[in-house]
């Protein structure tokens, strides 16, 4: 299995909306468009994978085959595969497996281990069979593409066993489906380019309200949230996974900062810490820049002494973070080094993130904006 998340849009039942759905899918750079006929695929540009999921007999005798299709997913019971593979080595072949019982589940595991492409259709709502297939396919070179009914189910499928399915195929019923699928894939995994920030000053600023973000996930030792006073610069605040002398660790928690602060969210957005609530999505980030979406379980806002930390990026971008003024509140430095906020001094190096765009209601926007 590979680490890239694939988005396939099935337009076999798109009807009259098909052209508009295809146009949106191409604009969103969907990885694959799935059709049941070769003519539809022949009209697509070379920038998208053309996936044929055929029905009926003798489709391979069509004059458009094989040039119109990059991948052919063979339906259950197809008997002419060996002949086609020998005649058309330029085409990649795979299998559609419908999982309804233990026997078909074993067939899916075999396909995932041996096929270049395995398209799996799980008929029951539980994700346990998919977990079994993903585990069985560990180390294989093929790709698993799992069917999903909609983008919401796709987001869950991408995250099964953390690795998730290599790809998801959803039906394209209307304009908007392609965009939602791409967003679901981006939410499941991704990377941010982190920047080394140099501390320029720290100031004890008195009392204020700070927010602890308690997530529904066990965060790792080098993982936390990107938080900052300015939309163009955030610092990586670490989770409470590191031992403290007077309290147990709380790996689900990030003591994130004062309530006015921005926090990086999924889909390139930001939120104010004060806006988060139980059920909100948050973007956990580790010291290498890897991200994952986690759910907020609780926000704890309490009055505490605060410390202001000023820093600067290599290109001169000013960054500020206001934290609870206590030794146990920590941020991360290069390599995941844990730094206690009350011990920071000018010249220390922090890990941070410097977006290129300003923000309007949490969305990046290219306009003049000065924060100080």
């Amino acid at each position: 299995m590979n680490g890239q998340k694939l988005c396939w849009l099935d337009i076999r039942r798109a009807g009259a909306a098909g052209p508009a759905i295809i146009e949106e899918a191409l604009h969103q750079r969907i990885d694959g468009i799935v059709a049941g006929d070769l003519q539809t695929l022949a009209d697509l540009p070379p920038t998208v994978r053309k996936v044929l999921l055929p029905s009926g007999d003798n489709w391979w005798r069509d004059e458009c085959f094989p040039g119109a299709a990059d991948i052919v997913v063979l339906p259950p019971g197809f008997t002419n595969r060996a002949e086609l593979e020998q005649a058309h080595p330029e085409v990649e072949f795979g299998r559609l497996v419908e999982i309804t019982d233990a026997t078909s589940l074993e067939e899916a595991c075999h396909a995932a281990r041996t096929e270049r492409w395995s398209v799996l259709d799980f008929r029951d709502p539980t994700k346990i069979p998919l977990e079994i297939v993903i585990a069985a396919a560990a180390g294989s070179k093929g790709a698993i593409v799992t069917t999903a009914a909609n983008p919401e189910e796709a987001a869950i499928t991408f995250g099964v066993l953390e690795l998730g399915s290599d790809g998801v195929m959803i039906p394209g019923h209307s304009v908007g489906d392609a965009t939602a699928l791409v967003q679901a894939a981006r939410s499941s995994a991704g990377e941010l380019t982190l920047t080394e920030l140099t501390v320029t000053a720290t100031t004890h600023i008195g009392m204020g309200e700070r927010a602890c973000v308690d997530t529904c996930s066990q965060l790792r030792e080098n993982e936390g949230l990107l938080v900052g006073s300015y939309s163009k610069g955030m610092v990586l605040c670490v989770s409470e996974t590191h031992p403290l002398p007077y309290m147990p660790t709380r790996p689900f928690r990030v003591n994130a900062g004062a309530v006015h602060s921005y926090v990086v969210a999924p889909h390139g957005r930001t939120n104010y810490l004060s806006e988060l609530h139980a059920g909100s999505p948050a973007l956990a980030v580790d010291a290498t820049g890897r991200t994952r979406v986690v759910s907020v379980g609780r926000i704890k806002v309490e009055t505490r002494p605060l410390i202001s930390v000023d820093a600067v990026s290599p290109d001169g971008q000013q960054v500020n973070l206001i934290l609870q003024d206590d030794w146990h509140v920590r941020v991360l430095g290069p390599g995941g080094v844990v730094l206690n906020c009350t011990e920071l001094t000018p010249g220390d190096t922090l890990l941070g993130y410097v977006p290129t765009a300003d923000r309007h209601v949490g969305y990046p926007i290219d306009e003049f904006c000065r924060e100080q």
Side-chain angles (χ1 to χ4, degrees):
M1 298 179 66
N2 55 58
Q4 184 179 3
K5 300 300 181 182
L6 303 173
C7 298
W8 286 9
L9 197 67
D10 181 1
I11 60 167
R12 289 177 296 164
R13 296 176 179 84
I21 293 171
I22 291 173
E23 182 178 355
E24 181 204 14
L26 295 175
H27 178 73
Q28 289 294 335
R29 298 189 177 182
I30 284 282
D31 300 288
I33 291 180
V34 181
D37 66 282
L38 287 160
Q39 187 56 57
T40 298
L41 296 178
D43 294 336
L44 297 177
T47 54
V48 65
R49 277 194 182 103
K50 304 172 185 181
V51 184
L52 178 67
L53 213 169
S55 59
D57 299 324
N58 298 324
W59 51 266
W60 62 90
R61 304 189 192 280
D62 190 300
E63 62 181 9
C64 292
F65 185 76
D70 301 314
I71 301 170
V72 176
V73 179
L74 297 172
F78 187 80
T79 58
N80 295 84
R81 176 169 181 166
E83 174 188 342
L84 285 178
E85 286 184 324
Q86 184 174 5
H88 303 290
E90 72 280 14
V91 178
E92 295 182 355
F93 289 89
R95 290 176 60 194
L96 171 66
V97 182
E98 299 171 348
I99 297 92
T100 59
D101 54 23
T103 300
S104 53
L105 176 59
E106 182 55 39
E107 184 181 353
C109 291
H110 178 74
R113 288 192 295 263
T114 60
E115 295 281 354
R116 175 65 185 89
W117 298 99
S118 301
V119 177
L120 307 182
D121 183 9
F122 294 91
R123 296 302 176 87
D124 293 321
T126 174
K127 294 297 183 282
I128 291 176
L130 176 56
E131 294 178 5
I132 293 171
V133 174
I134 291 173
S140 68
K141 296 181 180 180
I144 297 171
V145 177
T146 305
T147 64
N150 50 53
E152 292 75 21
E153 184 181 349
I156 296 171
T157 302
F158 278 128
V160 171
L161 286 189
E162 294 191 17
L163 294 173
S165 180
D166 292 304
V168 170
M169 180 176 79
I170 69 167
H173 294 305
S174 59
V175 172
D177 290 335
T179 300
L181 177 59
V182 170
Q183 289 179 342
R186 289 173 179 168
S187 297
S188 64
E191 291 188 1
L192 295 175
T193 301
L194 299 183
T195 300
E196 294 188 5
L197 308 172
T198 302
V199 175
T200 57
T202 61
T203 309
H204 305 281
I205 63 171
M207 304 297 288
E209 279 70 55
R210 68 93 175 99
C212 283
V213 181
D214 291 349
T215 72
C216 298
S217 299
Q218 296 274 51
L219 301 175
R220 294 183 279 269
E221 290 186 351
N222 68 341
E223 196 173 30
L225 300 175
L226 286 164
V227 185
S229 296
Y230 308 148
S231 63
K232 281 192 173 180
M234 286 83 169
V235 176
L236 186 52
C237 298
V238 69
S239 55
E240 293 189 1
T241 54
H242 299 272
L244 294 166
Y246 303 110
M247 63 178 67
T249 59
R250 295 181 174 90
F252 54 83
R253 172 172 295 171
V254 178
N255 194 322
V259 289
H260 74 283
S261 306
Y262 287 108
V263 58
V264 176
H267 310 314
R269 290 198 63 181
T270 57
N271 290 113
Y272 295 117
L273 285 177
S274 60
E275 293 176 336
L276 297 181
H277 54 79
S280 294
L283 196 69
V285 183
D286 72 13
T288 69
R290 291 191 309 169
T291 73
R292 61 178 174 132
V293 178
V294 297
S295 296
V296 173
R298 172 179 52 242
I299 298 294
K300 288 185 63 181
V301 176
E302 297 163 312
T303 302
R304 295 290 187 269
L306 301 176
I307 184 171
S308 176
V309 179
D310 292 307
V312 64
S313 71
D315 63 358
Q317 181 63 50
Q318 300 296 315
V319 178
N320 176 266
L321 174 65
I322 296 178
L323 294 162
Q324 180 180 341
D325 192 348
D326 196 292
W327 178 85
H328 82 278
V329 179
R330 295 156 163 176
V331 295
L332 287 179
V337 174
V338 179
L339 303 169
N340 302 84
C341 72
T342 55
E343 296 179 349
L344 293 173
T345 59
D348 287 343
T349 305
L350 313 177
L351 279 180
Y353 175 59
V354 182
T356 57
D358 294 303
R359 300 280 155 169
H360 180 63
V361 293
Y363 290 99
I365 184 171
D366 186 15
E367 68 173 5
F368 173 76
C369 176
R370 183 172 66 197
E371 299 169 300
Q372 61 188 39

